[in-house]
């Protein structure tokens, strides 16, 4: 099975909660705002002359850097986050600067500086097209704080406030740094939104001839294409389809185009089996089914998968069998927002997570079966049977999806739910629709520069099935941006860049794509927020869903950390972060990846977290009030000997470590497995490591030695029995609650 990683820099603790900024004073900016409002009222009675396009706010959420930052939660990003109660402040010395990158050269018209008490008496506003050569658009030596609204003129991609003299004994401090100008910039022609979905998206309606033949053709290509280049998306328009068996292979997704699953009904099956691997389903990865109703021919649909194979927003009008034909091994898996009228036959599935669904029953528990917000789920009975059940999911938001409104493609973005139970699509679906004209349709051959230009224009991204090499980071800087992949679209960073970074802004949605590490080591592959992010996103969190990370397997790949979460309130909903244990480019140093997921942000929730095989820690958690509902892990198979994983005085790196600085953390339904097949004598002191504090709690923990290939001495810290007495029998050692 597979694994993934996160951030290379030293961890930064968020402490016990968000920082409180110095009280915001009443300034002349408020008086100016009142005057502006009065003027606007008077002007309402003046006949209009010639209409002019209003200037556009270009700076919010864009990449920003500064010469320095104070040490208590005042990062540069706070000056462009659109939140008037967060701020950037510098060290208490002259000179200091803050610089924003607008993403493209743009005609500018205005800069607004909203100073905190610590203002700039002397400063310049400087412009640059390349980030190195600067011209002065405004300067003063008599600044007096408050709000400075500066009308400027010039073309620039980079805008810098260069402070030469502080007005107080503090540093320079800005509540907001706003740059206005023309939308889209002058760096080239505007990119169009919308358009066709490319050759690897196969769209059917009930009258389409030979649908089964097309399904079979793609399956023949993808059934055993474990690390191949093919990527496919099947889209079924609303209606009824008879006598189909859609067998789903690698890098293949099947979806309905209705607003609800029952809008699109297949009288037949949507099938995953393991014939290609002699009845073993433990490598049935990278595929999905979504937004369909299925009437299985035999009364039971088969979906025998393991990691990175989501089953979302489905209605099975019968039972669901999660085991392969012959009931061989399986190691999944994930169901969300789905209704299964009959029983879910778990059978040989070693672990599974089901979220906010409705089921007719569940059979068998094997090692770890976890449920949150599921109607019909078995009650918690861990350690026997091994069921862990939460009545609701504390926070969730379903994955965005493509649908048809009449003949018009749109993307539906479901609303956030709190303490949710059952499916989201009973009654009228809650959320917002975005027309496809607001998306840049990314097709194979698109460059990172073009993708970033589309983002800078304010477009969302829809990646069509394909493989995308990027030679610069994809920067998602605008609040509420949607980045949606079809058919497991795959992003590969070249030259050691980070594949994607998300600014510390509200409501970004990343969903449905794979990041594959490049041959040159990347420090990180996906970053959510810059270091020291501190904005409150609880009302509108950023989410990542069905976003997978792979290091090695398809070829040599390296990354120090796979996913780094610095923003607060992020929802991680179903990810598989995998350092490959098989395939091409695999070896202890060949696909080196020290860390899987590192969480620095506060109030982060993970639902369905799969992280495997990292050279050091698979998951590290530094933020406060973090929660994980279901965790599945395997330690790296290929450790050459005990010395290779020695962690100071500790034998091995924990699969899931909560930093000693953390006061509040909670986890449910969590397992770690070892299979040290190079050196079976290796001992791992524990699977989990956490501080012993009243606010740090774990429920339903287990560790397993797979066939006696290495062993755990304990489950968490020094608690829980060793797996050594179990020998080769793969009997788990369990801890019901900790501490």
């Amino acid at each position: 099975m597979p694994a993934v990683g996160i951030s290379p820099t030293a961890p930064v603790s968020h402490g016990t909660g968000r920082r409180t900024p110095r009280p915001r004073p009443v300034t002349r900016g408020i008086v100016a705002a009142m005057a502006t409002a009065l003027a606007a009222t008077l002007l309402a009675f003046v006949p209009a002359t010639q209409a002019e396009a209003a200037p556009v706010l270009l700076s919010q959420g864009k990449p920003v850097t500064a010469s320095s930052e104070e040490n208590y939660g005042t990062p540069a990003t706070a000056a462009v986050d659109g939140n008037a109660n967060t701020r950037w402040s510098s060290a208490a010395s002259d000179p200091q600067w803050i610089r924003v990158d607008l993403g493209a050269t743009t005609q500018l018209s205005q800069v607004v500086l909203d100073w905190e008490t610590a203002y700039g008496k002397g400063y310049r506003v400087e412009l640059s097209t390349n980030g190195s050569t600067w011209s002065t658009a405004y300067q003063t030596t008599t600044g007096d704080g408050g709000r400075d609204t500066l009308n400027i003129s010039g073309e620039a991609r980079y805008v810098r406030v260069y402070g030469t003299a502080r007005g107080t004994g503090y540093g320079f401090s800005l509540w907001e740094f706003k740059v206005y100008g023309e939308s889209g910039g002058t760096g080239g022609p505007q990119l169009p939104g919308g358009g066709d979905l490319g050759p690897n998206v196969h769209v059917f309606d009930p009258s389409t001839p030979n649908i089964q033949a097309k399904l079979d053709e793609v399956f023949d290509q993808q059934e055993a294409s474990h690390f191949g280049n093919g990527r496919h998306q099947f889209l079924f328009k609303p209606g009824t389809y008879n006598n189909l068996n859609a067998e789903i292979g690698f890098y293949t997704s099947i979806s309905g185009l209705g607003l609800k699953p029952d809008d699109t009904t297949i009288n037949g099956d949507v099938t995953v089996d393991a014939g290609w691997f002699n009845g073993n389903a433990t490598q049935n990865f990278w595929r999905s089914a979504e937004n369909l109703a299925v009437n299985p021919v035999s009364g039971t649909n088969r979906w025998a998968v393991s990691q990175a194979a989501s089953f979302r927003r489905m209605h099975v009008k019968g039972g669901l069998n999660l085991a392969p034909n012959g009931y061989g091994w399986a190691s999944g898996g994930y169901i969300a927002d789905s209704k299964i009228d009959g029983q879910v036959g778990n059978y040989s599935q070693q672990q599974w997570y089901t979220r906010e669904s409705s089921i007719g029953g569940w059979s068998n528990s094997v090692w770890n079966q976890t449920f949150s917000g599921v109607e019909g789920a078995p009650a918690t009975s861990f350690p026997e049977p091994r069921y862990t059940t939460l009545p609701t999911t504390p926070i969730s938001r379903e994955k965005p999806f493509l649908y048809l409104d009449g003949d018009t493609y749109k993307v539906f973005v479901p609303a956030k739910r709190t303490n949710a139970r059952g499916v989201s699509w009973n009654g009228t679906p809650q959320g917002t629709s975005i027309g496809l004209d607001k998306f840049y349709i990314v097709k194979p051959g698109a460059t990172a520069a073009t993708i970033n230009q589309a983002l800078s224009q304010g477009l969302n991204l829809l990646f069509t099935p394909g493989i995308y090499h990027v030679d610069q980071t994809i920067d998602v800087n605008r609040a509420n941006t949607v980045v949606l992949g079809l058919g497991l679209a795959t992003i590969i960073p070249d030259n050691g860049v980070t594949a994607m970074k998300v600014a510390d802004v509200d409501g970004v949605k990343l969903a449905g794509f794979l990041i594959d590490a490049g041959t040159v080591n990347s420090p990180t592959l996906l970053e959510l927020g810059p270091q020291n992010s501190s904005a409150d996103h609880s009302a509108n969190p950023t989410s990542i869903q069905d976003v997978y990370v792979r290091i090695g397997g398809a070829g040599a790949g390296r990354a120090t950390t796979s996913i780094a979460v610095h923003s607060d309130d992020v929802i991680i909903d179903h990810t598989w972060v995998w350092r490959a244990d098989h395939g091409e480019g695999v070896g202890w140093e060949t696909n080196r990846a020290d860390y899987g997921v590192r969480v620095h942000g506060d109030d982060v929730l993970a639902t369905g977290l799969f992280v495997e095989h990292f050279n050091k820690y698979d998951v590290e958690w530094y933020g406060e009030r973090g929660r994980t509902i279901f965790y599945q892990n395997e330690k790296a198979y290929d450790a050459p000997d005990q010395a290779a994983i020695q962690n100071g005085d500790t034998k091995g790196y924990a699969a899931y470590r909560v930093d000693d600085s953390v006061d509040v953390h909670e986890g449910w339904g969590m397992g770690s497995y070892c299979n040290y097949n190079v050196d079976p004598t290796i001992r791992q002191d524990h699977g989990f490591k956490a501080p012993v504090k009243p606010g740090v709690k774990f429920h339903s923990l287990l560790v397993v030695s797979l066939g006696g290939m290495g062993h755990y001495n304990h489950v968490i810290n020094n608690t829980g029995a060793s797996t050594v007495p179990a020998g080769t029998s793969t009997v788990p050692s369990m801890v019901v609650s900790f501490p």
Side-chain angles (χ1 to χ4, degrees):
M1 295 182 291
V4 172
I6 260 185
S7 173
T9 53
V12 180
S13 173
H14 274 230
T16 58
R18 294 187 176 88
R19 309 281 184 182
T20 301
R22 291 195 288 269
R24 183 165 187 165
V26 177
T27 68
R28 65 184 174 89
I30 295 176
V31 176
M34 293 172 64
T36 300
L38 177 60
T41 303
L42 294 173
L43 285 171
F45 296 94
V46 178
T49 54
Q50 185 175 357
E52 293 184 2
V56 176
L57 176 59
L58 303 172
S59 52
Q60 187 165 311
K62 293 297 174 66
V64 62
T65 53
S67 54
S68 65
E69 296 175 0
E70 268 188 305
N71 295 322
Y72 50 89
T74 55
T77 52
V80 296
D81 63 2
N83 185 342
N85 294 307
T86 62
R87 63 187 175 92
W88 163 72
S89 60
S90 74
S93 61
D94 300 325
Q96 301 290 339
W97 54 264
I98 182 170
R99 184 188 82 169
V100 64
D101 177 1
L102 304 177
T105 299
T106 305
Q107 181 66 45
L108 306 180
S109 59
Q110 192 177 82
V111 169
V112 176
L113 304 176
D114 199 356
W115 295 103
E116 195 244 356
T117 305
Y119 65 94
K121 182 177 181 181
Y123 66 88
R124 301 190 298 267
V125 175
E126 299 178 328
L127 310 180
S128 175
T129 58
N130 57 18
S132 58
T133 303
W134 298 91
S135 62
T136 299
Y138 174 86
Q139 63 181 340
T140 184
T141 57
T142 58
D144 58 358
R147 177 173 297 151
D148 291 338
T149 300
L150 311 172
N151 294 321
I152 64 169
S153 179
E155 290 188 352
R157 170 173 173 170
Y158 303 90
V159 182
R160 181 170 72 178
V161 177
Y162 192 93
T164 56
R166 291 165 292 134
T168 71
Y170 297 107
F172 296 86
S173 184
L174 284 166
W175 295 106
E176 286 292 297
F177 169 23
K178 297 181 178 180
V179 180
Y180 293 86
E182 296 180 1
S183 176
T186 59
Q190 294 290 286
L191 295 170
D196 72 89
L197 299 176
N200 296 324
V201 175
H202 314 285
V203 182
F204 306 125
D205 64 44
S207 66
T208 302
N210 302 319
I211 296 176
Q212 186 65 56
K214 187 62 180 181
L215 293 170
D216 292 345
E217 175 191 341
V218 171
F219 181 67
D220 288 345
Q221 298 169 16
Q222 301 301 121
E223 178 186 12
S225 185
H226 202 159
F227 297 106
N229 294 327
R231 302 289 187 273
H232 294 272
Q233 174 76 56
F234 294 120
L235 296 175
F236 285 77
K237 294 182 180 181
T240 300
Y241 299 79
N242 295 315
N243 304 315
L244 293 181
N245 180 23
E247 296 183 276
I248 307 301
F250 284 100
Y251 314 107
T252 304
S253 298
I254 183 171
S255 306
L257 285 171
L259 193 55
K260 295 184 178 183
D262 289 335
D263 293 340
T264 310
T265 297
I266 291 178
N267 290 318
D269 294 87
V270 175
T271 303
V272 177
D273 206 343
W276 75 279
F277 201 45
N278 300 316
N280 180 342
T282 60
Q283 294 184 17
N284 279 352
F285 313 139
W286 304 305
R287 62 199 76 196
S288 68
E290 184 174 341
N291 203 32
L292 291 164
V294 178
N295 261 318
V297 171
S298 68
T300 299
N301 190 76
R302 186 184 302 278
W303 185 258
V305 298
S306 287
Q307 290 80 3
S310 65
F311 197 80
R312 286 185 183 269
R313 206 176 178 86
M314 296 287 288
H315 183 190
V316 179
K317 298 179 178 182
L320 185 65
N321 185 343
L322 303 180
N325 186 27
Y327 300 93
W329 293 342
S331 184
Y334 177 88
I335 294 171
D337 201 27
S338 294
K339 187 174 189 295
I340 292 92
D341 294 344
Q343 178 171 275
V344 179
N346 183 67
Y347 303 114
S348 56
Q349 280 288 355
Q350 296 160 340
Q351 64 276 315
W352 197 280
Y353 174 53
T354 307
R355 180 180 63 71
E356 286 154 72
S357 295
S358 174
I359 62 176
W362 192 277
S363 74
N364 206 18
S365 67
V366 192
W367 293 338
N368 176 16
Q369 311 295 314
T370 302
F371 310 84
S372 67
V374 177
E375 297 170 344
T380 293
S381 53
F382 194 91
E384 286 297 342
R386 291 158 193 161
Y387 297 136
T388 305
T389 301
L390 285 72
T392 62
T393 305
I395 303 167
S396 65
R397 182 174 58 212
E398 299 305 330
K399 176 186 171 186
F401 61 92
L402 194 65
Y403 79 105
L404 277 173
D405 183 1
D407 293 326
T408 303
Y409 282 107
K410 294 182 178 179
V411 170
F412 190 76
V413 181
K416 188 186 81 167
R417 305 175 80 194
T418 302
N419 297 321
R421 181 175 175 84
V423 300
S424 70
W425 39 271
N426 280 337
T428 302
Q430 299 299 300
T432 58
S433 291
I434 306 173
L436 210 60
D437 61 329
K438 303 299 183 184
F439 282 79
Y440 176 61
I441 310 301
V442 190
K443 298 176 183 176
T447 65
T450 301
I451 293 167
N452 280 330
Q453 181 186 343
L455 289 167
S456 72
Q457 287 179 205
L459 294 172
N460 303 287
L461 300 178
L462 182 69
F463 280 88
T464 64
I467 296 176
Y468 300 87
H469 283 265
V470 295
D471 58 1
Q472 58 182 262
T473 299
I474 297 171
D475 289 311
V476 182
N477 297 316
R478 180 176 53 84
N480 299 310
T481 300
V482 176
V483 180
L484 178 61
L486 301 178
L488 276 296
T490 302
I491 301 169
I492 303 176
D494 293 330
N495 305 320
V497 303
T498 296
M500 185 177 294
K501 293 183 180 181
V502 177
D504 191 28
V505 295
D506 276 357
V508 172
K509 294 93 178 171
L510 309 181
F513 57 88
L514 168 67
I515 297 175
D516 209 349
T519 56
V520 178
N521 186 77
S522 293
T524 55
L525 293 173
L526 174 62
E527 290 188 21
L528 303 177
Q531 290 188 40
N532 301 314
S533 295
S534 59
D536 183 347
H537 306 295
S538 56
N540 185 15
T542 283
S543 55
I544 59 174
Q545 301 175 288
D546 301 348
V547 173
Y548 312 124
V549 180
R550 179 172 68 194
I551 302 169
R558 297 171 66 92
T560 304
T561 298
S562 293
I563 300 177
V565 181
H566 295 286
S567 288
D568 294 344
D569 307 296
V570 170
I571 299 170
I572 305 171
D573 178 42
H574 191 226
T575 185
W576 185 41
V577 182
W578 183 54
R579 175 181 167 266
D581 63 284
H582 61 272
E584 298 288 334
V586 172
W588 185 249
E589 296 296 341
T590 304
N591 62 329
R592 181 85 193 187
D594 284 350
Y595 307 104
V597 176
R598 279 177 154 178
V599 179
H600 304 276
D602 293 340
D603 301 293
V604 173
L605 171 66
T607 52
L609 184 61
F610 299 73
V611 186
E612 296 184 312
H613 304 163
F614 285 86
N615 294 76
K616 291 184 178 179
Y617 291 114
D618 299 282
V619 171
E620 289 189 286
W621 212 292
Y622 298 93
E624 285 291 351
R625 298 176 298 279
R627 291 175 288 186
T628 296
I629 304 173
F630 183 88
Y631 175 63
Q632 185 267 319
N633 166 264
E634 286 183 351
K635 295 303 299 174
Y637 290 178
D638 56 343
D641 50 39
Q642 188 74 50
I645 61 163
Q646 192 67 20
N647 182 14
D649 295 333
T650 302
K651 294 178 180 177
Y653 291 82
Y656 188 106
R657 184 182 82 87
V658 179
D659 192 69
D660 288 343
S661 65
V662 173
D663 292 320
V664 179
H665 189 91
E666 195 159 8
W668 296 263
M670 307 175 75
S672 176
Y673 322 130
C674 72
N675 181 32
Y676 289 117
N677 54 27
V678 176
D679 182 359
T681 68
I682 288 176
R683 294 294 179 266
Q684 176 92 20
D685 270 346
H686 42 238
F688 300 86
K689 176 72 169 63
V692 182
K693 297 179 180 179
V696 178
K697 303 174 184 178
F698 289 90
H699 316 272
S700 305
L701 297 177
L702 63 89
V703 295
V704 179
S705 169
L706 302 181
M709 306 298 278
H711 281 284
Y712 296 90
N713 293 331
H714 301 284
V715 179
I716 180 168
N717 296 356
N718 294 320
T719 299
S722 170
T723 60
V724 171
T728 62
S729 62
T730 65
V731 174
S733 176
M734 294 173 284
V735 169
V736 175
S737 63
F738 178 87

